[in-house]
Amino acid sequence: MSIRALAWIPILCIFVGVVFANRTYPIVLGMPFLFFYIVACIILSSLVMAIVYALDPANRKGE
Amino acid sequence: MTSAPLVIIAVTIAIAFVLALLSRAKKRMDLEQWAVAGRGFGALFVFLLLAGEIYTTFTFLGGSGWAYGTGGPATYILAYGAVAYVLSYFLLPPIWRYAKERQLLSQPDFFTAQFGSRVLGALVALVGVIALVPYLQSQMTGLGLIVQMASYGRLPETWAIAIAMLVLATYVTLSGVHGTAWTAVLKDLAILAVVVAVGVILPARVGGLHAMFTSIAHLRPGFLQLGAKGMGVPWFISTVALTGLGFYMWPHAFGAVYTAKHERVFRRNATFLPLYQLILLFVFFAGFAAILIVPGLKNSNLALLAAVQHVFPTWAVGVIGGAGVLTAMVPGSLMLMTAGTLVAENLYRPFRPSATHSEIQVVARVVVWVVAAVTFLFSIHSNAAIVALLLMGYNFVTQFFPTVVLCVWRRSWVTLPGAVCGILAGVLLVAYFALTDHTIVAGLNSGFLALIANFVVTLVVSAVTRSWEARRMGQGNAPAQVQAASGFET
């Protein structure tokens, strides 16, 4: 399986995870939980795409 | 001294005009030079520019207004960027390669080249211009609101929007088709400073983030999550899908993909651009603080400006207004220019091959004023939320997605009639929903339903017309290359 499949993780977190994250409490880092959760998804997507970028063979050939 | 804001805003507009004139007198700064200049600027400067780049009137006044008016559903604005960037990692490199091989210039060129059909290219240009109108309207509405606010209510709304229209169209006429990079730099830095200041100071005024959200949650239970006004979880999912898929389907965004130096740029960008979305939190915080500072506004677009007027001294109101003006002018002028170029190059030129270069330029300039005037007419009779306007634009522009994604990964699944029927079906459905005022249907974003219908029509019509398409290609109408511009290198 290609490393690119990892990209599904943030996508699933946003589209499926929101079903469970749609709540006001607890307030985390000063934000309602839904806002905190979406912020966490954004940071996660950046991390996951950095891993994909680093390991994807497409970015190694033809320097 | 309530005229201070108006003076500062007038000076800001004057500076933008002067910069536009200067950049024309000297060498034109095209995207290539811009990128080169970017390398000389240093990492911190580029970081600040990219952070400011996120802000248009949509994010600045629209984002805060939506936080104020709808609450939880505003989170879609944070989420869709992340979805768009993940998708961009896979979708943009093959589009870039295809465009580079054929030296394409605009979005309609991609469709014309794929199917060897100028009619499809013209259809795409037309839908693109239609989609740009509500987007432009959001910038014009925002600009008008700022002018009106700065006059402390002395200017009637219609006059304020008329001034906004004249400023935008004049700016585009002055700056020419390339735009002015320095105004964009000024805008990015000014808005970033303003948004951070406003996003910190306004919540601090009402006791800090935690206290602010606790009291909002007490005042209006459920407001800070999805579910209010029919915007529940299904609405969120369908809207994030629609806008995430449509993000790069805007004519200006699609065309900008072609200008990248290397396809790896897109993959690298996908790793850090999502983080810039977090800068939007500041406007949301400001919008939520406005609930406690200036409750009960009829027009939610005014939330941030009204709170600012309430809390800041008049000179600061002027500075914030000035930054807001630039934030409407820079993207607004880009959209006007895109509309002008689309009509001139992809609607006018193909059907008048004898047109000279200067004739095309005249057409583009005339279209700029026509589109500005049409947008003005829509703006004066509308009280629509800025975010609702942008969503309307997305309803139209995402209808390109099925054909684009099939061209990239399943080229043999889509034919010319399939693409035309799919786009038409999607656009007509969107128009029907818009005219009958259905933004939410069965809990879902209506544009998303149109997208599904579009996908189905595209696939079915393509399957039925496959042999016809094969004959058409055989008769010399064939595009240069029919193989998929394979996205997944092995």
Side-chain angles (χ1 to χ4, degrees):
Chain A
M1 199 165 75
S2 163
I3 186 76
R4 291 178 161 207
L6 282 184
W8 285 107
I9 296 174
I11 297 294
L12 290 176
C13 283
I14 289 173
F15 285 112
V16 181
V18 70
V19 176
F20 308 98
N22 183 26
R23 46 200 295 158
T24 308
Y25 300 103
I27 291 179
V28 188
L29 299 177
M31 287 179 276
F33 189 78
L34 175 67
F35 282 75
F36 164 76
Y37 178 78
I38 298 295
V39 167
C41 285
I42 291 172
I43 296 170
L44 177 75
S45 88
S46 183
L47 286 176
V48 167
M49 293 318 286
I51 294 171
V52 171
Y53 180 76
L55 299 179
D56 189 344
N59 298 317
R60 264 179 261 145
K61 66 179 184 193
E63 277 305 321
Chain B
M1 256 292 283
T2 49
S3 37
L6 216 49
V7 172
I8 297 177
I9 285 168
V11 169
T12 310
I13 294 173
I15 291 174
F17 280 0
V18 170
L19 282 174
L21 282 172
L22 282 181
S23 71
R24 230 155 89 89
K26 284 198 290 178
K27 207 170 45 168
R28 277 213 193 120
M29 196 154 175
D30 58 23
L31 272 173
E32 192 103 338
Q33 287 170 292
W34 179 218
V36 173
R39 272 202 291 278
F41 280 151
L44 179 66
F45 196 58
V46 171
F47 168 82
L48 293 176
L49 289 185
L50 280 172
E53 186 87 26
I54 291 276
Y55 283 104
T56 67
T57 305
F58 157 65
T59 36
F60 181 53
L61 298 182
S64 53
W66 246 44
Y68 180 92
T70 60
T75 45
Y76 107 80
I77 299 170
L78 285 172
Y80 86 96
V83 172
Y85 294 129
V86 170
L87 177 70
S88 76
Y89 186 101
F90 306 98
L91 186 65
L92 299 192
I95 292 176
W96 178 85
R97 278 197 297 275
Y98 184 85
K100 193 180 156 71
E101 276 165 28
R102 289 163 189 76
Q103 297 181 317
L104 306 182
L105 292 172
S106 66
Q107 183 183 35
D109 288 351
F110 177 86
F111 292 82
T112 304
Q114 283 279 357
F115 296 95
S117 162
R118 288 198 169 146
V119 175
L120 179 61
L123 173 68
V124 168
L126 185 66
V127 175
V129 173
I130 292 173
L132 282 170
V133 169
Y135 200 160
L136 193 56
Q137 192 187 336
S138 73
Q139 310 295 334
M140 212 182 269
T141 306
L143 194 47
L145 286 175
I146 292 168
V147 172
Q148 209 193 351
M149 167 210 70
S151 76
Y152 282 82
R154 274 171 292 171
L155 266 175
E157 195 189 345
T158 310
W159 280 97
I161 299 175
I163 292 173
M165 184 209 96
L166 288 175
V167 166
L168 270 178
T170 311
Y171 179 73
V172 175
T173 310
L174 288 180
S175 66
V177 286
H178 288 286
T180 52
W182 289 114
T183 317
V185 169
L186 188 63
K187 169 244 158 189
D188 287 350
L189 297 180
I191 197 66
L192 186 64
V194 160
V195 159
V196 172
V198 168
V200 170
I201 292 172
L202 291 182
R205 248 312 167 85
V206 291
L209 284 185
H210 199 283
M212 174 178 91
F213 280 121
T214 310
S215 40
I216 294 173
H218 268 287
L219 279 172
R220 299 158 84 168
F223 181 72
L224 295 171
Q225 61 196 57
L226 301 169
K229 297 187 186 176
M231 289 182 257
V233 169
W235 176 87
F236 176 91
I237 293 172
S238 56
T239 302
V240 171
L242 176 83
T243 50
L245 300 181
F247 194 83
Y248 284 101
M249 297 297 127
W250 285 98
H252 49 283
F254 200 98
V257 168
Y258 304 169
T259 61
K261 280 247 186 302
H262 195 278
E263 62 180 82
R264 202 173 306 144
V265 170
F266 305 117
R267 304 209 190 93
R268 202 191 51 223
N269 286 355
T271 66
F272 66 87
L273 285 184
L275 294 178
Y276 282 103
Q277 294 292 107
L278 298 180
I279 311 254
L280 292 177
L281 285 171
F282 288 108
V283 275
F284 289 150
F285 295 160
F288 284 120
I291 294 177
L292 301 175
I293 297 172
V294 281
L297 292 176
K298 254 190 239 145
N299 185 347
S300 65
N301 294 336
L302 279 168
L304 186 133
L305 295 175
V308 158
Q309 252 181 348
H310 203 264
V311 169
F312 287 83
T314 47
W315 67 266
V317 172
V319 172
I320 292 164
V325 164
L326 290 177
T327 304
M329 276 173 78
V330 172
S333 61
L334 174 69
M335 284 156 215
L336 266 182
M337 284 187 265
T338 307
T341 322
L342 279 177
V343 173
E345 294 284 349
N346 298 99
L347 276 171
Y348 186 80
R349 195 201 283 277
F351 302 102
R352 205 179 139 78
S354 64
T356 61
H357 183 64
S358 59
E359 192 180 332
I360 295 288
Q361 278 199 323
V362 170
V363 172
R365 268 152 208 255
V366 171
V367 171
V368 163
W369 282 87
V370 171
V371 171
V374 168
T375 310
F376 168 70
L377 290 178
F378 276 113
S379 304
I380 49 173
H381 295 301
S382 152
N383 212 2
I386 286 172
V387 174
L389 289 171
L390 191 77
L391 281 174
M392 177 54 64
Y394 266 109
N395 287 351
F396 282 108
V397 93
T398 309
Q399 304 308 326
F400 299 144
F401 182 78
T403 300
V404 169
V405 81
L406 290 172
C407 280
V408 168
W409 285 308
R410 294 285 183 273
R411 183 59 187 85
S412 62
W413 290 14
V414 57
T415 65
L416 174 62
V420 171
C421 292
I423 292 173
L424 277 179
V427 166
L428 290 177
L429 255 181
V430 167
Y432 168 77
F433 286 137
L435 292 173
T436 55
D437 225 4
H438 284 89
T439 49
I440 302 170
V441 175
L444 295 169
N445 185 313
S446 65
F448 181 75
L449 292 173
L451 180 68
I452 300 287
N454 174 346
F455 240 122
V456 172
V457 170
T458 305
L459 289 172
V460 170
V461 174
S462 294
V464 173
T465 55
R466 196 152 293 149
S467 59
W468 180 86
E469 182 88 340
R471 275 203 304 282
R472 188 178 74 97
M473 308 270 229
Q475 286 163 359
N477 272 328
Q481 192 188 345
V482 269
Q483 290 94 331
S486 157
F488 288 95
E489 311 93 314
T490 43

